Amino acid sequence: MEEKRTNLAFREFFETCRLKAMQLALEEDRYLGDITTEATVEESQLGLGYVEVKAEGIIAGVEVARQAFQSLDSGLEFTASVKDGKRVYPGERILEVKGRIASILVGERTALNFMQRMSGIATRTNMYVERVSHTNASILDTRKTAPALRYYDKDAVRIGGGTNHRFGLFDMILIKDNHIDAAGSVEEAVRRAKAYCKERGVTVKIETEVRSISELVRACTSRPDMILLDNFMVDDLAEAVRWVKANGYGNILLEASGSVGLHNVSEIAMTGVDYISIGELTHSVKALDMSMKIERA
């Protein structure tokens, strides 16, 4: 997503994704109104709401929380003491919202839901990034995101120090095993992809998955931009890297994927692959614990 942020068409698309997700999140929570707050809190009552973290991690979603509260009530005063990407610790107060308590309560859960999920993703991503920091490998995300929350999930990966892979099906050609089997061979699949781009004037990277060293060799002759080494053992990854460099294909970037965890990501990175993609970053999120407290003015 990084390079696409400067492209006007992509910027507008990302903004649409962001706004729609935020609007839906707020709407599904309040719908006809917060009847508990309406029943118990005077509409004119002013106060302060503050968010405190209960676990160590990388904070993400501060600006998302601001947008949630201020889209409900532009009169709310939002102050953050930390920025996205900062490491926080239990007991740390990270933001305050001042104004009508009723408005703060309506936005509380939506803001926290975004921040907790994003911070969980950023924290987990950062763990992986730290494990490979002694190598040249980058940690990639995948499309295994929560439906309708891909913009926020991938932004959280970026905040945690990871690198965004393709956003969707439209911004990169990624030939997987089913595409290869349907086309007849990896060479034919890459050939068709290149022909498609040339005929339609499409400028995107082409990556193909391979399932064995022999398939890797055949894929390299077609010269895709990237090759995905799927579920390779560590020794096979090292052999793949050596073969690609020794046979004049060093400009083809290599991505490792499958069965990656904190226990082996460093070993995988040391094989010399350029990227390591990890679905766990976004499909198995552990939210960073935090809560909001309210004080009357």
Side-chain angles (χ1 to χ4, degrees), residues 76-92:
L76 292 177
E77 180 183 335
F78 184 99
T79 305
S81 56
V82 299
K83 293 182 178 180
D84 285 343
K86 182 181 183 296
R87 183 169 293 278
V88 293
Y89 300 90
E92 190 170 346

Side-chain angles (χ1 to χ4, degrees), residues 45-52 61-81 93-112 115 291-297:
Q45 178 65 56
L46 300 179
L48 162 73
Y50 64 89
V51 173
E52 187 175 277
V62 173
E63 288 307 308
V64 180
R66 181 196 303 274
Q67 292 158 7
F69 284 116
Q70 294 187 337
S71 65
L72 287 168
D73 185 344
S74 60
L76 292 177
E77 180 183 335
F78 184 99
T79 305
S81 56
R93 185 181 293 198
I94 59 174
L95 64 84
E96 294 182 350
V97 188
K98 294 180 181 179
R100 293 174 60 249
I101 289 180
S103 297
I104 297 172
L105 289 172
V106 172
E108 173 188 358
R109 177 44 51 199
T110 298
L112 286 176
M115 287 193 70
S291 63
M292 171 172 272
K293 298 296 182 183
I294 296 290
E295 297 176 353
R296 287 166 56 98

Side-chain angles (χ1 to χ4, degrees), residues 2 5 57-61 83-87 117-133 138-141 152-164 281-282:
E2 283 88 348
R5 291 172 187 272
I58 303 298
I59 204 70
K83 293 182 178 180
D84 285 343
K86 182 181 183 296
R87 183 169 293 278
R117 179 177 177 84
M118 291 182 69
S119 297
I121 292 171
T123 299
R124 193 65 173 175
T125 300
N126 192 254
M127 291 180 182
Y128 278 98
V129 170
E130 289 182 346
R131 294 288 177 95
V132 304
S133 61
S138 297
I139 299 298
L140 289 180
D141 55 21
Y152 293 104
D153 282 3
K154 282 183 169 283
D155 207 34
V157 169
R158 179 189 61 80
I159 290 168
T163 300
N164 295 138
L281 301 180
T282 52

Side-chain angles (χ1 to χ4, degrees), residues 13 20 22 55 72 92 116 146 156 197 249-251 259 274 292:
F13 170 70
K20 284 185 176 180
M22 175 63 72
L72 287 168
E92 190 170 346
Q116 288 185 273
C197 290
Y249 299 109
N251 61 325
S259 302
D274 301 286
M292 171 172 272

Side-chain angles (χ1 to χ4, degrees), residues 103-283:
S103 297
I104 297 172
L105 289 172
V106 172
E108 173 188 358
R109 177 44 51 199
T110 298
L112 286 176
N113 282 350
F114 275 113
M115 287 193 70
Q116 288 185 273
R117 179 177 177 84
M118 291 182 69
S119 297
I121 292 171
T123 299
R124 193 65 173 175
T125 300
N126 192 254
M127 291 180 182
Y128 278 98
V129 170
E130 289 182 346
R131 294 288 177 95
V132 304
S133 61
H134 61 295
T135 73
N136 293 321
S138 297
I139 299 298
L140 289 180
D141 55 21
T142 69
R143 288 168 46 243
K144 298 174 183 177
T145 54
L149 291 181
R150 184 167 296 168
Y151 174 87
Y152 293 104
D153 282 3
K154 282 183 169 283
D155 207 34
V157 169
R158 179 189 61 80
I159 290 168
T163 300
N164 295 138
H165 208 332
R166 60 174 179 166
F167 188 86
L169 296 171
F170 57 88
D171 57 335
M172 179 180 182
I173 290 179
L174 177 46
I175 302 166
K176 302 298 289 294
D177 53 351
N178 287 332
H179 300 106
I180 293 169
D181 293 341
S185 69
V186 66
E187 305 98 309
E188 178 61 14
V190 174
R191 186 197 67 76
R192 291 182 185 181
K194 288 189 171 185
Y196 175 92
C197 290
K198 184 176 181 180
E199 291 168 5
R200 304 204 179 195
V202 176
T203 305
V204 295
K205 285 184 170 59
I206 297 174
E207 179 175 12
T208 185
E209 176 181 317
V210 298
R211 295 160 286 191
S212 64
I213 295 294
S214 62
E215 200 168 48
L216 166 70
V217 172
R218 299 201 309 273
C220 282
T221 62
S222 302
R223 293 192 177 273
D225 299 296
M226 296 176 65
I227 291 178
L228 170 61
L229 307 166
D230 187 49
N231 284 308
F232 276 45
M233 300 296 289
V234 171
D235 288 346
D236 292 332
L237 287 173
E239 181 184 347
V241 172
R242 285 194 298 269
W243 189 92
V244 167
K245 291 182 177 179
N247 287 275
Y249 299 109
N251 61 325
I252 298 177
L253 299 174
L254 298 178
E255 172 189 344
S257 180
S259 302
V260 181
L262 287 174
H263 67 287
N264 65 354
V265 69
S266 177
E267 188 179 11
I268 291 171
M270 290 177 67
T271 64
V273 294
D274 301 286
Y275 298 105
I276 304 171
S277 56
I278 305 169
E280 174 210 339
L281 301 180
T282 52
H283 74 52

